């Protein structure tokens, strides 16, 4: 239950090059403790900064950024992410594909009220190559690049926050063509249609996906979509 002790363990695992699962598991434990003990943020941050004096590692900067985001210190998180990106430009880290850093930067940019900056970063995510991996995807969103569905939903959310519903519609329409069975995409597109007064198109989206699920014998999902409509 000591956040500082868990932080020290996480730092050690990260610098030793332990299995990614153990690094992310210990970070998750730390984040949960910090939610319960927010006053421990300062001492925990100090542990990472002290470690970075001796080992200027991209993964430590990135982990510190995630901790800072958890504490709503997004300006500090952006500085940490900038350092991580500089370091992996010189020396790649298999734990940190560029898309993962860009996704985190977009999160902080959006939190700071800069949707344009967040969109720019998400375009980097679209272009950034994702190294092949034979490992199972991590359950933690901070430990894996976003899926195509997550990326489209976030871009559409940003456009909607800027009042650009046609751009959100276009983003989701393109994603829908690639991911026809994705419930989240279909629902977001239907909502975007509805916000523009296009009720017929909104209902058509939900009906089409419900029919797909019914044809695939996913009757529970089909009924759920019809109830939403």
């Amino acid at each position: 239950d000591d956040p500082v002790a868990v932080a020290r363990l996480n730092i050690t695992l990260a610098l030793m090059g332990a299995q990614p699962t153990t690094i992310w598991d210990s970070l998750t434990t730390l984040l949960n403790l910090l939610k319960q003990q927010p006053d421990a943020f300062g001492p925990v941050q100090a542990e990472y900064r002290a470690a970075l004096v001796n080992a200027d590692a991209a993964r430590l900067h990135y982990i510190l950024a995630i901790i800072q985001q958890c504490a709503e210190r997004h300006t500090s998180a952006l500085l940490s992410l900038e350092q991580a990106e500089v370091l992996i430009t010189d020396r790649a880290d298999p734990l940190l594909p560029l898309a993962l850093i860009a996704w985190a930067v977009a999160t902080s940019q959006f939190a700071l009220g800069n949707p344009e900056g967040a969109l720019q970063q998400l375009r980097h995510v679209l272009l950034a190559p994702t190294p092949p991996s034979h490992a199972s995807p991590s359950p933690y969103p901070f430990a894996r690049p976003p899926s195509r569905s997550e990326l489209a939903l976030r871009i559409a959310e940003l456009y909607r926050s800027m009042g650009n519903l046609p751009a959100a519609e276009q983003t989701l329409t393109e994603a829908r063509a690639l991911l026809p069975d994705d419930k989240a995409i279909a629902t977001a597109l239907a909502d975007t249609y509805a916000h523009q007064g296009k009720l017929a198109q909104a209902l058509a989206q939900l009906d089409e996906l419900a029919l797909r699920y019914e044809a695939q014998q996913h009757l529970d999902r089909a009924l759920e979509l019809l109830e939403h409509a």
Side-chain angles (χ1 to χ4, degrees), residues 137-214:
S138 172
Y140 308 124
F142 55 75
R144 56 174 172 76
S147 67
R148 188 180 295 271
S149 174
E150 290 169 328
L151 185 56
L153 289 167
R154 178 64 63 85
I155 290 174
E157 178 188 5
L158 289 170
Y159 278 129
R160 287 181 62 166
S161 75
M162 297 163 63
N164 193 343
L165 291 174
E169 178 186 328
Q170 180 179 351
T171 298
L172 293 167
T173 300
E174 292 171 356
R176 183 92 166 86
L178 294 171
L179 304 165
D181 295 327
D182 192 300
K183 174 189 169 185
I185 294 290
T187 303
L189 180 55
D191 287 343
T192 302
Y193 279 138
H195 275 85
Q196 296 177 91
K198 301 177 180 180
L199 299 181
Q201 291 98 317
L203 291 172
Q205 283 298 314
L206 297 175
D207 287 343
E208 180 185 344
L209 187 58
L211 289 173
R212 279 182 169 275
Y213 281 142
E214 186 177 359

Side-chain angles (χ1 to χ4, degrees), residues 94-174:
L95 205 65
L96 296 180
L98 276 171
L100 189 60
I101 294 179
W103 180 253
V105 172
T107 298
S108 285
Q109 291 282 14
F110 185 51
L112 290 171
N114 183 12
E116 294 89 351
L119 273 172
Q120 182 180 0
Q121 289 299 319
L122 293 182
R123 293 188 187 103
H124 292 331
V125 177
L126 282 171
L127 298 174
T130 301
S133 173
H134 301 293
S136 300
S138 172
Y140 308 124
F142 55 75
R144 56 174 172 76
S147 67
R148 188 180 295 271
S149 174
E150 290 169 328
L151 185 56
L153 289 167
R154 178 64 63 85
I155 290 174
E157 178 188 5
L158 289 170
Y159 278 129
R160 287 181 62 166
S161 75
M162 297 163 63
N164 193 343
L165 291 174
E169 178 186 328
Q170 180 179 351
T171 298
L172 293 167
T173 300
E174 292 171 356

